[in-house]
Amino acid sequence: MKSYSFRLQKLLEMREKKEEQSKLEFKKAENEKRFEEEKLFKLKDNYSKYSNINLNDSVIEKKIRHNYLRSLNYCINETSENLDKKVDIVEKKREELKKCQIEKKTVEILKEKDKLAFEKEQKMIEQKLNDELALYAYMRNQN
């Protein structure tokens, strides 16, 4: 009985590697997005913390606070834009990962079907051999 070998094994291995690479890229994009979300949260938290105007502050303190709040607002807007870009990148990476998973699964299904056909063929060969042996034994017993 011969052993099973899949003709497209190299293709399957390449697709598995491609899927793993895609998973890593997706994870990296997710981490970058999470980092931007945390950064935005901290900036908004600082803005809300320092946005309360104290009437007892001097003019210089008010001016410094105002400049700081403007700077925070600019950073919040910039970080929001970066976060939107990161979200788009994550979605693209997710679609790439889905595509890679589908491609790999397609080859895996082909492999499963091919292996089942091989096993069925081997069982038929074995059954044919058993039938022939039984026939020879019957013929010998008849003589």
Side-chain angles (χ1 to χ4, degrees):
M1 220 167 131
K2 58 183 181 176
S3 65
Y4 174 74
S5 70
F6 184 51
R7 294 184 332 255
L8 301 174
Q9 187 63 36
K10 289 285 186 193
L11 177 65
L12 180 59
E13 290 169 4
M14 286 175 20
R15 294 221 173 142
E16 287 172 343
K17 286 179 186 175
K18 189 176 178 183
E19 181 191 20
E20 287 302 313
Q21 179 74 24
S22 184
K23 281 181 184 178
L24 292 175
E25 290 174 6
F26 175 72
K27 191 73 170 165
K28 181 181 175 191
E30 279 270 297
N31 288 338
E32 289 175 2
K33 183 190 101 177
R34 194 172 305 117
F35 175 77
E36 287 295 322
E37 287 172 337
E38 290 171 6
K39 184 177 172 184
L40 183 61
F41 175 77
K42 288 176 185 175
L43 288 170
K44 286 182 177 181
D45 188 44
N46 278 345
Y47 188 87
S48 64
K49 189 188 308 182
Y50 292 105
S51 63
N52 300 331
I53 298 174
N54 189 352
L55 298 176
N56 297 330
D57 287 346
S58 69
V59 174
I60 294 173
E61 289 173 329
K62 288 179 184 177
K63 187 76 169 168
I64 290 172
R65 183 184 306 260
H66 177 70
N67 285 339
Y68 179 66
L69 290 175
R70 274 191 18 220
S71 174
L72 275 177
N73 196 34
Y74 174 78
C75 289
I76 287 171
N77 291 336
E78 191 174 284
T79 305
S80 291
E81 290 174 11
N82 285 345
L83 181 58
D84 290 341
K85 290 176 186 174
K86 299 290 182 187
V87 167
D88 290 342
I89 290 171
V90 166
E91 288 306 312
K92 287 177 186 172
K93 296 296 181 184
R94 180 177 282 120
E95 290 302 315
E96 287 176 18
L97 178 58
K98 281 184 195 177
K99 182 182 165 211
C100 289
Q101 287 174 332
I102 289 170
E103 289 174 349
K104 184 189 93 171
K105 190 67 177 170
T106 302
V107 178
E108 283 178 340
I109 290 170
L110 288 174
K111 181 178 181 176
E112 289 172 17
K113 287 181 178 180
D114 192 48
K115 187 172 184 176
L116 287 174
F118 174 79
E119 290 171 352
K120 185 177 178 180
E121 182 182 335
Q122 291 300 311
K123 285 180 183 177
M124 286 175 51
I125 291 170
E126 187 178 338
Q127 185 63 44
K128 186 178 177 182
L129 182 64
N130 288 342
D131 290 347
E132 286 179 13
L133 291 175
L135 181 62
Y136 288 140
Y138 177 75
M139 297 294 279
R140 201 174 20 168
N141 289 338
Q142 289 297 322
N143 293 334

